[in-house]
Amino acid sequence: MAFIGGDARQLEVIKSCIEQNAKVSLIGFDNLQSPFSGASNRELTPSLLKTVDMLILPILGTDEEGYVSSIFTTKKLALSEEHIASLTSRAMVYTGIAKSYLKNLCDQHSIRLVELLKRDDVAIYNSIPTVEGALMMAIQHTNITIHGSVCAVLGLGRVGMTLGRTLAALGARVKMGVRRTDQAARSEEMGLSPFFMKDLHRHAGDVDLLFNTVPALVVTAKVLNRMPYSAVIIDLASKPGGVDFTYAEKRGIKALLAPSLPGIVASKTAGRILAQTMTRLMSEELEEEGS
Amino acid sequence: MAFIGGDARQLEVIKSCIEQNAKVSLIGFDNLQSPFSGASNRELTPSLLKTVDMLILPILGTDEEGYVSSIFTTKKLALSEEHIASLTSRAMVYTGIAKSYLKNLCDQHSIRLVELLKRDDVAIYNSIPTVEGALMMAIQHTNITIHGSVCAVLGLGRVGMTLGRTLAALGARVKMGVRRTDQAARSEEMGLSPFFMKDLHRHAGDVDLLFNTVPALVVTAKVLNRMPYSAVIIDLASKPGGVDFTYAEKRGIKALLAPSLPGIVASKTAGRILAQTMTRLMSEELEEEGS
Amino acid sequence: MAFIGGDARQLEVIKSCIEQNAKVSLIGFDNLQSPFSGASNRELTPSLLKTVDMLILPILGTDEEGYVSSIFTTKKLALSEEHIASLTSRAMVYTGIAKSYLKNLCDQHSIRLVELLKRDDVAIYNSIPTVEGALMMAIQHTNITIHGSVCAVLGLGRVGMTLGRTLAALGARVKMGVRRTDQAARSEEMGLSPFFMKDLHRHAGDVDLLFNTVPALVVTAKVLNRMPYSAVIIDLASKPGGVDFTYAEKRGIKALLAPSLPGIVASKTAGRILAQTMTRLMSEELEEEGS
Amino acid sequence: MAFIGGDARQLEVIKSCIEQNAKVSLIGFDNLQSPFSGASNRELTPSLLKTVDMLILPILGTDEEGYVSSIFTTKKLALSEEHIASLTSRAMVYTGIAKSYLKNLCDQHSIRLVELLKRDDVAIYNSIPTVEGALMMAIQHTNITIHGSVCAVLGLGRVGMTLGRTLAALGARVKMGVRRTDQAARSEEMGLSPFFMKDLHRHAGDVDLLFNTVPALVVTAKVLNRMPYSAVIIDLASKPGGVDFTYAEKRGIKALLAPSLPGIVASKTAGRILAQTMTRLMSEELEEEGS
Ligand SMILES: NC(=O)c1ccc[n+]([C@@H]2O[C@H](COP(=O)([O-])OP(=O)(O)OC[C@H]3O[C@@H](n4cnc5c(N)ncnc54)[C@H](OP(=O)(O)O)[C@@H]3O)[C@@H](O)[C@H]2O)c1
Ligand SMILES: NC(=O)c1ccc[n+]([C@@H]2O[C@H](COP(=O)([O-])OP(=O)(O)OC[C@H]3O[C@@H](n4cnc5c(N)ncnc54)[C@H](OP(=O)(O)O)[C@@H]3O)[C@@H](O)[C@H]2O)c1
Ligand SMILES: NC(=O)c1ccc[n+]([C@@H]2O[C@H](COP(=O)([O-])OP(=O)(O)OC[C@H]3O[C@@H](n4cnc5c(N)ncnc54)[C@H](OP(=O)(O)O)[C@@H]3O)[C@@H](O)[C@H]2O)c1
Ligand SMILES: NC(=O)c1ccc[n+]([C@@H]2O[C@H](COP(=O)([O-])OP(=O)(O)OC[C@H]3O[C@@H](n4cnc5c(N)ncnc54)[C@H](OP(=O)(O)O)[C@@H]3O)[C@@H](O)[C@H]2O)c1
C-alpha cells in the first residue's frame, strides 16, 4: 500500500491503515513533523509501484499534467504513464475525484480507479461537516437566529436532506425546494414544507435564509426580485454554484459561495470519513480474495 | 368521473373531488347514510362508463373475478370486459393495487391504469400512519417504554426511514438493518446505528423491540435464537411477512404480523392521502391537456 | 430490609435490592410463583420490624384502616400502630403515596416516611410511560395521524413538557397552554407555540387533539363550545381530571379520562423507576452513615 | 415614553413602541442615520421626564457615575438624581441590568425599576442566540463535527437546557452535568446522559467539547487533568467564567470565554426579545390601569 502526497486529511487515512497492520509506504511525506512508526518513506519509482496493491492519491488526485500536490514535501511529485503501467492487474488506485489525465491512464492500463467522493455513502457522510459549515456561515452572516427564521433549502439530495433536518432541529421553519413528488412526500414526513422548484419565485417572498444545493442556475433574477433585501443566500453547490451572484449584488442581497466546507470546518472528521471508507473497501477486497 | 365501491377512505376522495367541481357519479353507494350533494347515484352500465374520464375503484381494485367490494351497498358489483371496453381512449382507471384480472383488461383495451399504492410518494405518505400504528402496537404489547429501549428496524426503505426517525425521536436507541452502504451513511447521519442485514444475528442479542419492513424471510431461526425471550417483534412487511413465525412461537418470542395499519389507525388521513394524490394527478392531466 | 405486599412493579424493586446484597425479608409474598433466592418469606410481626432499616410498602401504601394490598398472598396484611412503634429511630418507610393513616402513624413515632411519587425526579421519569400511554390512546381513538394534526397540551409541568416535546417530534403542530411567562419562553424555544391558559377558549377552534395535564377544571363548557366535534380530548390529570365530561358528552366530543398509564403500558419500566430511586436513596443513606 | 441612549438593539425596541402608537421621545439619538417618523429628538431635562410614564435605558443602564452610553450621539449623557426625582410616581424605568447607582436612585425615590435581563422569560429567550453563538464557536474552533462528538454541558439551567437539546439534535452524544435529581431525570427524558457535577472529573476523559454554563469555578485543575488535550472548552458563564483558564493553558487545552453572544451573533433577534418583553409588560400595565 502506497500513499502519494496529500494534506492533513490523508494523515488520518494513513494512521488508520497502519492500525490495520497494512504494509505502508509513504511517497512525498519527507517533511512530516512526527513520522509514523510502521510506515517507511519511499521515492516514487516504478519498481516500488510494482509491489503495491493499493495506490492512494490525495482527494484531488493529479492535475491534468499528472502532478500530485503534497503539503508534506518540497519536491515535485509527478505520476507518469510509466508509473501506472507498472502496477499489477490486481492493484487499485484511490482518489477523491479524478481529472481526465488520471482516468485515461487507468483506463488504458485496465487499472481499477475508485473516486471516493463520487460514492453515495461518502457524499452522505460528507454532508454532515458540510451542513455544520453552512450553519456556521448562517450564524455569522445574519443578525437573526436560525431558530424562528424562515429557511429555504433547494434540493433534497444528499446534502439537502441533512441540511433540512438540521435546520428544522434548530427551530427554523424550513421550506424544501424539490422536483419529484416522492421528495415532496419525504419532506412533509420530515416536517419540512415542500414546494416545487419551478415555483421557487413564489416562495421567495418571506425567506430569511436561502441555502442552495442544486448544481444549476436556479436562483435567478426572477427569484432574487421577490426576496427581501435582508435575506442571506448561502450557495453550497459546486462552482459556479446556482445563484446569479451578479444580480444578487446589484439588488443588494448578500450571497455567499461556500465551497469545500468539510475540509475547512472539520478536517479531521473529513479525513476519517475517507479513511473508514477506504479501509472498508480494502477489507471487502481482501474478503473476496480470501473466499 | 365515476366511483365504484369502496370503504370509508373512498368518501374522503369523493368529497375532495366534489370540492374541485368535478362531475361525480357514484356506483355502489346506495346505502350511504349522508349522501353527497353534488354527486348522483348511478348503476354500473357501459353507457355510463362511455361518458367518464376517470373511473375510480377501491384500494383493492377488483378481485380475480372482477368483483368490486363496497361497504355502502348490498348489491354485487362486477366489472366486466364490456365495461372496460366502453371506456374512451382518454379515460383513466385508478385503484390502490390491481389484481391481474384488472391489469389484463386495461392492457387489452389500452386503458391507462394507475396503481396509487405503488407510487413512491403515496408509499411515503402512507408510511406515516403505518408508523403510528406500529408505535401503538409496540406500546400495547410490551411492558417497557420505547424511550430507553433498544429497537432494531429492518430495512431503510420508505417505511423504515420514517420508523427509524420516529423511534429515535421517542428516545429509543435505534439500530438500523440495511443492505447498502449509502443507507448505512444515511442511518448514521440520522443518529440510527446501522448494521448490515447479513449480520443481523450478531445484533439480535440485546434487542427489546424488532420491527421488520423487509418483504423477505430475514428474521430466521438463526436470528431468533439470539434474541432475548422478552423481545417483541412487529412485522410490517406485506404478507407473509419476514419472520419465521412458527419458530418464534416455538421459542416463546412474541411476534405479530401487522398488516393494513393506515386503514386501521388513521382511515381519514389514509383517505386524504389518496384523495390528494388523485386530485393532483388529475389536475396535472388537465394542465397537460390544456397546454 | 422488609417488603410488605405490592404488585408486579414491586418485584422489580426486590430484584434490584437483592442484587445489591441487601438482606431482604418478604411479607405477603407467599404465593409468588418463582421465589427469589436471597430473600426469605416472613410474617408481619413487631419483632421482625425491630430488625429492619427499611420498610417498603406498595405504591399505594396502606388504606385508611392500615390494610396493605398484595396480589401475592390471600392473607390479609394489616399494618398497626404496634408495628410502626417497633421500628427503630433510624428506620425509614417507603411508599408511593401515603394516606393520612400512614402519615399520622409515622409522624407520631418520628419515623421518616418517603413518598416516592411526590418526588420531582420520580414524576419526571414517570412522565415518560405516561406520555407513551397518551400516545397510544391518541392513535387508537382518532382516525387521523398525530403527524400533521393540531395538538393542544395544557400545562407545561413535568408531564406536559415531555408530552409537548414528544408530540412535536412525531410531527404534530403543538400549542402549549401555560400560565407563566417563563413557560411561554421555554415552549417557544422547544418549538411549541405557547398561549396563556386564560385564553384557552380562543385557541380551541382548530384543535384535533387536546391533552390536559392541569389538575383543575380548565376545559369548561366555554372551551368545549369552541372545539370541533371531531376533536378528541385525553385527560391525564389525576381524578376527577380537568374536563367538564358531562358537557363534553352532551356536545358529542369524545373525552377520555386516562389514569395510571405507567402501570398499564409499561409496568416493568414503572417498577424500575421506583427501584432505581429507592436504591439510590438507600445508598445515599448508607454513604452518609458511613461518613 | 422616553429612550435614553443605547445601541442597535434599542432601535428594535423603539420601532416596536412607535408601531403601538406610543408617544416616543428620543434622548441621545441625534446622529441616527435614518430618524424615526413618529418620534421626536429631545434633550435630557427634568421637565421632559416629568411627562413620561416609561423611561427606557440601554441594556447596561448607567455606569456607577450615572453616565449612559449611546452609539448614536457624541454628547455625554448623565442621568442625575434630579432626573430621577422628577419622574412621577407612576413612572417606570426599564433597563437590562442595573448598577447600584441606578438601583439606589430609584429606591430612594420609590420609582419602579425593571431589570429585563434578570427575568426568567428573557433569559430563556436569550438562551437561543446564546446557543447559536456557542455552536458557531464550536464549529470554528474544532476540526471535528459536532455530530458524533461527545459533548459535556455543565448546568441544566436556562441556557443549559437549550444547549443540551440543540447539541443532541445536531447528533452529538451529550452528557449533562447537573446537581439536582430532578435535573438528572429531565436530562434523561431529553436523551442527555446526566451525571452529577461533583463527579465531573470522572466524566471528563472522553469529552471532545465541554460547554460550561455554571457561574462558579467548576472546571478545575482536577477536571482539566482528565480531559484529552484535543478537547475544546467553551465557557458561557458570565465573567470570570467557570474554568481555570490559567491551568487549561498550561495543559495545552483550548479554553474560550464567550461573553455577550446574543448581541454578537443575532443583534436583531436580541433587540426584538427585549422589545417584545417591554411592550408586553407595558400593555399589561395599561390593562391593569384600565381595569
Ligand atoms: N460546499 C461544500 O462544501 C459542498 C460539500 C458537499 C457537496 N457540495 C456540492 O453540493 C451540491 C449538492 O450535493 P449533493 O451531494 O447533495 O448532490 P445530490 O445528492 O445530487 O443533490 C442535488 C439535488 O439537486 C437537485 N437538482 C439537480 N439539478 C436540478 C435542477 N436542474 N433543478 C432542480 N433540482 C435539481 C437534485 O434533484 P434530483 O434528486 O431530482 O436529481 C438533488 O435533489 C453539489 O454541487 C456538490 O458538489 C458542496
Ligand atoms: N403493515 C402495514 O400497514 C404496511 C404499510 C405500508 C407498507 N407495508 C409493507 O411494508 C414493506 C416495506 O414497505 P416500503 O414502502 O418501506 O418498501 P421499500 O421502500 O421497498 O423498503 C423495503 C426495504 O427492504 C429492503 N429489502 C428488500 N429486500 C431485502 C432483502 N432480501 N434483504 C435485505 N433487505 C431487503 C430494501 O432494501 P433496498 O432499498 O436495498 O432495496 C428496502 O430498504 C412492504 O412489504 C409493504 O407492503 C406495510
Ligand atoms: N394519567 C396518568 O397516568 C398520570 C401520570 C402522571 C401524572 N398524572 C397527573 O397529571 C397531572 C400533572 O402531573 P405533573 O407531574 O405534570 O404535574 P405538574 O408538574 O405540577 O404540572 C401541572 C401543570 O399544571 C399547571 N397548573 C396547575 N394548576 C393550574 C391552574 N389552575 N390553571 C392553569 N394551570 C395550572 C401547572 O402550572 P405551574 O407550573 O404554573 O404551577 C403545571 O404546569 C397531575 O394531576 C398528575 O397526578 C397522571
Ligand atoms: N455568554 C453569553 O453570551 C451568555 C448568555 C446568557 C447567559 N450567560 C451566562 O450563562 C450563565 C448561565 O445562565 P443561565 O441563564 O442558564 O443561568 P441559570 O438558569 O441560573 O443556570 C445556571 C446553572 O448552573 C447551576 N449551578 C449554579 N451554581 C452551581 C454550582 N456551584 N455547582 C454546580 N452547578 C451550579 C445551576 O443549578 P441549579 O439549577 O441547581 O441552581 C443551574 O442549573 C450565567 O452566568 C449567565 O450570565 C452568558
mmCIF file of all heavy atoms in Angstrom, chain C residues 50-78:
data_model
loop_
_atom_site.group_PDB
_atom_site.id
_atom_site.type_symbol
_atom_site.label_atom_id
_atom_site.label_comp_id
_atom_site.label_asym_id
_atom_site.label_seq_id
_atom_site.Cartn_x
_atom_site.Cartn_y
_atom_site.Cartn_z
ATOM 1 N N LYS C 50 -38.411 -4.751 64.248
ATOM 2 C CA LYS C 50 -37.343 -4.182 65.094
ATOM 3 C C LYS C 50 -35.985 -4.256 64.392
ATOM 4 O O LYS C 50 -35.089 -3.466 64.660
ATOM 5 C CB LYS C 50 -37.263 -4.950 66.411
ATOM 6 C CG LYS C 50 -37.851 -4.196 67.571
ATOM 7 C CD LYS C 50 -37.652 -4.941 68.881
ATOM 8 C CE LYS C 50 -38.762 -4.533 69.836
ATOM 9 N NZ LYS C 50 -39.529 -5.660 70.373
ATOM 10 N N THR C 51 -35.849 -5.272 63.518
ATOM 11 C CA THR C 51 -34.534 -5.519 62.918
ATOM 12 C C THR C 51 -34.338 -4.845 61.547
ATOM 13 O O THR C 51 -33.276 -4.935 60.971
ATOM 14 C CB THR C 51 -34.316 -7.036 62.715
ATOM 15 O OG1 THR C 51 -35.225 -7.474 61.696
ATOM 16 C CG2 THR C 51 -34.583 -7.808 63.988
ATOM 17 N N VAL C 52 -35.388 -4.214 61.031
ATOM 18 C CA VAL C 52 -35.233 -3.685 59.667
ATOM 19 C C VAL C 52 -34.900 -2.199 59.655
ATOM 20 O O VAL C 52 -35.341 -1.437 60.511
ATOM 21 C CB VAL C 52 -36.482 -3.938 58.782
ATOM 22 C CG1 VAL C 52 -36.899 -5.387 58.815
ATOM 23 C CG2 VAL C 52 -37.614 -3.016 59.157
ATOM 24 N N ASP C 53 -34.086 -1.832 58.664
ATOM 25 C CA ASP C 53 -33.731 -0.426 58.466
ATOM 26 C C ASP C 53 -34.690 0.243 57.485
ATOM 27 O O ASP C 53 -34.889 1.447 57.510
ATOM 28 C CB ASP C 53 -32.319 -0.319 57.889
ATOM 29 C CG ASP C 53 -31.274 -0.727 58.902
ATOM 30 O OD1 ASP C 53 -31.567 -0.622 60.107
ATOM 31 O OD2 ASP C 53 -30.178 -1.160 58.482
ATOM 32 N N MET C 54 -35.227 -0.591 56.586
ATOM 33 C CA MET C 54 -36.117 -0.030 55.585
ATOM 34 C C MET C 54 -37.336 -0.901 55.449
ATOM 35 O O MET C 54 -37.225 -2.116 55.268
ATOM 36 C CB MET C 54 -35.410 0.039 54.230
ATOM 37 C CG MET C 54 -34.347 1.109 54.220
ATOM 38 S SD MET C 54 -33.041 0.715 53.081
ATOM 39 C CE MET C 54 -31.765 1.816 53.714
ATOM 40 N N LEU C 55 -38.478 -0.232 55.502
ATOM 41 C CA LEU C 55 -39.742 -0.950 55.344
ATOM 42 C C LEU C 55 -40.376 -0.416 54.066
ATOM 43 O O LEU C 55 -40.643 0.788 53.951
ATOM 44 C CB LEU C 55 -40.639 -0.652 56.550
ATOM 45 C CG LEU C 55 -42.007 -1.325 56.508
ATOM 46 C CD1 LEU C 55 -41.854 -2.850 56.566
ATOM 47 C CD2 LEU C 55 -42.866 -0.834 57.669
ATOM 48 N N ILE C 56 -40.611 -1.337 53.123
ATOM 49 C CA ILE C 56 -41.089 -0.870 51.822
ATOM 50 C C ILE C 56 -42.517 -1.342 51.574
ATOM 51 O O ILE C 56 -42.792 -2.535 51.471
ATOM 52 C CB ILE C 56 -40.140 -1.357 50.695
ATOM 53 C CG1 ILE C 56 -38.768 -0.715 50.923
ATOM 54 C CG2 ILE C 56 -40.665 -0.958 49.331
ATOM 55 C CD1 ILE C 56 -37.653 -1.691 50.991
ATOM 56 N N LEU C 57 -43.414 -0.362 51.451
ATOM 57 C CA LEU C 57 -44.823 -0.648 51.202
ATOM 58 C C LEU C 57 -45.113 -0.536 49.709
ATOM 59 O O LEU C 57 -44.304 0.005 48.968
ATOM 60 C CB LEU C 57 -45.696 0.353 51.970
ATOM 61 C CG LEU C 57 -45.515 0.352 53.492
ATOM 62 C CD1 LEU C 57 -46.304 1.492 54.126
ATOM 63 C CD2 LEU C 57 -46.013 -0.985 54.050
ATOM 64 N N PRO C 58 -46.273 -0.998 49.263
ATOM 65 C CA PRO C 58 -46.610 -0.860 47.841
ATOM 66 C C PRO C 58 -46.810 0.621 47.461
ATOM 67 O O PRO C 58 -46.880 1.484 48.341
ATOM 68 C CB PRO C 58 -47.934 -1.621 47.692
ATOM 69 C CG PRO C 58 -48.092 -2.413 48.933
ATOM 70 C CD PRO C 58 -47.315 -1.718 50.002
ATOM 71 N N ILE C 59 -46.947 0.863 46.157
ATOM 72 C CA ILE C 59 -47.169 2.214 45.638
ATOM 73 C C ILE C 59 -48.262 2.934 46.416
ATOM 74 O O ILE C 59 -48.121 4.108 46.763
ATOM 75 C CB ILE C 59 -47.632 2.160 44.156
ATOM 76 C CG1 ILE C 59 -46.699 1.321 43.297
ATOM 77 C CG2 ILE C 59 -47.816 3.563 43.592
ATOM 78 C CD1 ILE C 59 -45.393 1.951 43.011
ATOM 79 N N LEU C 60 -49.368 2.221 46.694
ATOM 80 C CA LEU C 60 -50.499 2.902 47.306
ATOM 81 C C LEU C 60 -50.458 2.852 48.828
ATOM 82 O O LEU C 60 -51.422 3.273 49.487
ATOM 83 C CB LEU C 60 -51.813 2.313 46.781
ATOM 84 C CG LEU C 60 -52.029 2.565 45.292
ATOM 85 C CD1 LEU C 60 -53.298 1.897 44.800
ATOM 86 C CD2 LEU C 60 -52.095 4.086 45.019
ATOM 87 N N GLY C 61 -49.357 2.360 49.403
ATOM 88 C CA GLY C 61 -49.210 2.349 50.852
ATOM 89 C C GLY C 61 -50.289 1.527 51.530
ATOM 90 O O GLY C 61 -50.574 0.402 51.113
ATOM 91 N N THR C 62 -50.906 2.100 52.549
ATOM 92 C CA THR C 62 -51.986 1.402 53.255
ATOM 93 C C THR C 62 -53.293 2.107 52.906
ATOM 94 O O THR C 62 -53.286 3.214 52.387
ATOM 95 C CB THR C 62 -51.811 1.542 54.780
ATOM 96 O OG1 THR C 62 -52.007 2.937 55.100
ATOM 97 C CG2 THR C 62 -50.416 1.146 55.212
ATOM 98 N N ASP C 63 -54.400 1.470 53.214
ATOM 99 C CA ASP C 63 -55.656 2.223 53.132
ATOM 100 C C ASP C 63 -55.865 2.924 54.472
ATOM 101 O O ASP C 63 -54.994 2.879 55.347
ATOM 102 C CB ASP C 63 -56.827 1.311 52.740
ATOM 103 C CG ASP C 63 -57.141 0.283 53.803
ATOM 104 O OD1 ASP C 63 -56.634 0.405 54.942
ATOM 105 O OD2 ASP C 63 -57.891 -0.668 53.499
ATOM 106 N N GLU C 64 -56.985 3.560 54.648
ATOM 107 C CA GLU C 64 -57.159 4.362 55.869
ATOM 108 C C GLU C 64 -57.349 3.509 57.120
ATOM 109 O O GLU C 64 -57.382 4.028 58.238
ATOM 110 C CB GLU C 64 -58.321 5.369 55.692
ATOM 111 C CG GLU C 64 -58.024 6.501 54.711
ATOM 112 C CD GLU C 64 -56.934 7.477 55.187
ATOM 113 O OE1 GLU C 64 -56.198 7.139 56.126
ATOM 114 O OE2 GLU C 64 -56.810 8.567 54.601
ATOM 115 N N GLU C 65 -57.503 2.193 56.938
ATOM 116 C CA GLU C 65 -57.547 1.309 58.117
ATOM 117 C C GLU C 65 -56.222 0.603 58.357
ATOM 118 O O GLU C 65 -56.095 -0.220 59.266
ATOM 119 C CB GLU C 65 -58.635 0.227 57.935
ATOM 120 C CG GLU C 65 -60.007 0.677 58.381
ATOM 121 C CD GLU C 65 -60.678 1.453 57.266
ATOM 122 O OE1 GLU C 65 -60.626 0.972 56.110
ATOM 123 O OE2 GLU C 65 -61.204 2.561 57.515
ATOM 124 N N GLY C 66 -55.264 0.848 57.507
ATOM 125 C CA GLY C 66 -53.960 0.228 57.704
ATOM 126 C C GLY C 66 -53.742 -1.030 56.893
ATOM 127 O O GLY C 66 -52.685 -1.639 56.956
ATOM 128 N N TYR C 67 -54.760 -1.426 56.100
ATOM 129 C CA TYR C 67 -54.573 -2.638 55.306
ATOM 130 C C TYR C 67 -53.662 -2.379 54.108
ATOM 131 O O TYR C 67 -53.757 -1.346 53.459
ATOM 132 C CB TYR C 67 -55.924 -3.196 54.846
ATOM 133 C CG TYR C 67 -56.655 -3.856 55.988
ATOM 134 C CD1 TYR C 67 -57.705 -3.203 56.617
ATOM 135 C CD2 TYR C 67 -56.242 -5.111 56.451
ATOM 136 C CE1 TYR C 67 -58.350 -3.797 57.700
ATOM 137 C CE2 TYR C 67 -56.886 -5.712 57.526
ATOM 138 C CZ TYR C 67 -57.932 -5.050 58.148
ATOM 139 O OH TYR C 67 -58.557 -5.629 59.225
ATOM 140 N N VAL C 68 -52.795 -3.343 53.851
ATOM 141 C CA VAL C 68 -51.856 -3.260 52.738
ATOM 142 C C VAL C 68 -52.277 -4.302 51.706
ATOM 143 O O VAL C 68 -52.471 -5.466 52.055
ATOM 144 C CB VAL C 68 -50.427 -3.585 53.225
ATOM 145 C CG1 VAL C 68 -49.448 -3.586 52.051
ATOM 146 C CG2 VAL C 68 -49.997 -2.602 54.304
ATOM 147 N N SER C 69 -52.425 -3.914 50.458
ATOM 148 C CA SER C 69 -52.865 -4.898 49.477
ATOM 149 C C SER C 69 -51.665 -5.579 48.836
ATOM 150 O O SER C 69 -50.609 -4.990 48.637
ATOM 151 C CB SER C 69 -53.738 -4.246 48.411
ATOM 152 O OG SER C 69 -52.927 -3.519 47.546
ATOM 153 N N SER C 70 -51.844 -6.862 48.552
ATOM 154 C CA SER C 70 -50.789 -7.634 47.916
ATOM 155 C C SER C 70 -51.441 -8.626 46.972
ATOM 156 O O SER C 70 -52.400 -9.296 47.339
ATOM 157 C CB SER C 70 -49.957 -8.387 48.951
ATOM 158 O OG SER C 70 -48.997 -9.182 48.273
ATOM 159 N N ILE C 71 -50.942 -8.689 45.754
ATOM 160 C CA ILE C 71 -51.520 -9.666 44.837
ATOM 161 C C ILE C 71 -50.842 -11.022 44.990
ATOM 162 O O ILE C 71 -51.182 -11.974 44.315
ATOM 163 C CB ILE C 71 -51.442 -9.203 43.366
ATOM 164 C CG1 ILE C 71 -49.994 -9.036 42.913
ATOM 165 C CG2 ILE C 71 -52.204 -7.883 43.169
ATOM 166 C CD1 ILE C 71 -49.850 -8.855 41.416
ATOM 167 N N PHE C 72 -49.881 -11.104 45.891
ATOM 168 C CA PHE C 72 -49.115 -12.341 46.024
ATOM 169 C C PHE C 72 -49.452 -13.147 47.273
ATOM 170 O O PHE C 72 -48.691 -14.013 47.691
ATOM 171 C CB PHE C 72 -47.614 -12.052 45.987
ATOM 172 C CG PHE C 72 -47.201 -11.331 44.739
ATOM 173 C CD1 PHE C 72 -46.753 -10.018 44.786
ATOM 174 C CD2 PHE C 72 -47.300 -11.954 43.503
ATOM 175 C CE1 PHE C 72 -46.392 -9.355 43.639
ATOM 176 C CE2 PHE C 72 -46.941 -11.290 42.343
ATOM 177 C CZ PHE C 72 -46.490 -9.978 42.410
ATOM 178 N N THR C 73 -50.572 -12.788 47.920
ATOM 179 C CA THR C 73 -50.984 -13.572 49.074
ATOM 180 C C THR C 73 -52.495 -13.538 49.180
ATOM 181 O O THR C 73 -53.149 -12.645 48.628
ATOM 182 C CB THR C 73 -50.370 -13.030 50.384
ATOM 183 O OG1 THR C 73 -50.694 -13.935 51.442
ATOM 184 C CG2 THR C 73 -50.929 -11.647 50.731
ATOM 185 N N THR C 74 -53.062 -14.509 49.864
ATOM 186 C CA THR C 74 -54.501 -14.475 50.113
ATOM 187 C C THR C 74 -54.771 -13.976 51.518
ATOM 188 O O THR C 74 -55.902 -13.695 51.887
ATOM 189 C CB THR C 74 -55.098 -15.890 49.968
ATOM 190 O OG1 THR C 74 -54.295 -16.783 50.759
ATOM 191 C CG2 THR C 74 -55.069 -16.343 48.508
ATOM 192 N N LYS C 75 -53.707 -13.906 52.336
ATOM 193 C CA LYS C 75 -53.872 -13.417 53.708
ATOM 194 C C LYS C 75 -54.103 -11.912 53.721
ATOM 195 O O LYS C 75 -53.672 -11.207 52.809
ATOM 196 C CB LYS C 75 -52.609 -13.722 54.521
ATOM 197 C CG LYS C 75 -52.303 -15.198 54.636
ATOM 198 C CD LYS C 75 -51.093 -15.414 55.534
ATOM 199 C CE LYS C 75 -50.476 -16.804 55.263
ATOM 200 N NZ LYS C 75 -49.048 -16.846 55.571
ATOM 201 N N LYS C 76 -54.694 -11.447 54.785
ATOM 202 C CA LYS C 76 -54.863 -10.015 54.969
ATOM 203 C C LYS C 76 -53.613 -9.469 55.655
ATOM 204 O O LYS C 76 -53.083 -10.078 56.584
ATOM 205 C CB LYS C 76 -56.080 -9.737 55.869
ATOM 206 C CG LYS C 76 -57.387 -9.887 55.108
ATOM 207 C CD LYS C 76 -58.300 -8.682 55.354
ATOM 208 C CE LYS C 76 -59.263 -8.532 54.189
ATOM 209 N NZ LYS C 76 -60.174 -7.398 54.366
ATOM 210 N N LEU C 77 -53.163 -8.325 55.205
ATOM 211 C CA LEU C 77 -51.999 -7.703 55.825
ATOM 212 C C LEU C 77 -52.431 -6.379 56.448
ATOM 213 O O LEU C 77 -52.901 -5.490 55.734
ATOM 214 C CB LEU C 77 -50.928 -7.398 54.773
ATOM 215 C CG LEU C 77 -50.276 -8.588 54.062
ATOM 216 C CD1 LEU C 77 -49.498 -8.106 52.844
ATOM 217 C CD2 LEU C 77 -49.351 -9.321 55.042
ATOM 218 N N ALA C 78 -52.305 -6.273 57.764
ATOM 219 C CA ALA C 78 -52.696 -5.014 58.408
ATOM 220 C C ALA C 78 -51.501 -4.427 59.137
ATOM 221 O O ALA C 78 -50.888 -5.091 59.979
ATOM 222 C CB ALA C 78 -53.840 -5.240 59.378
#
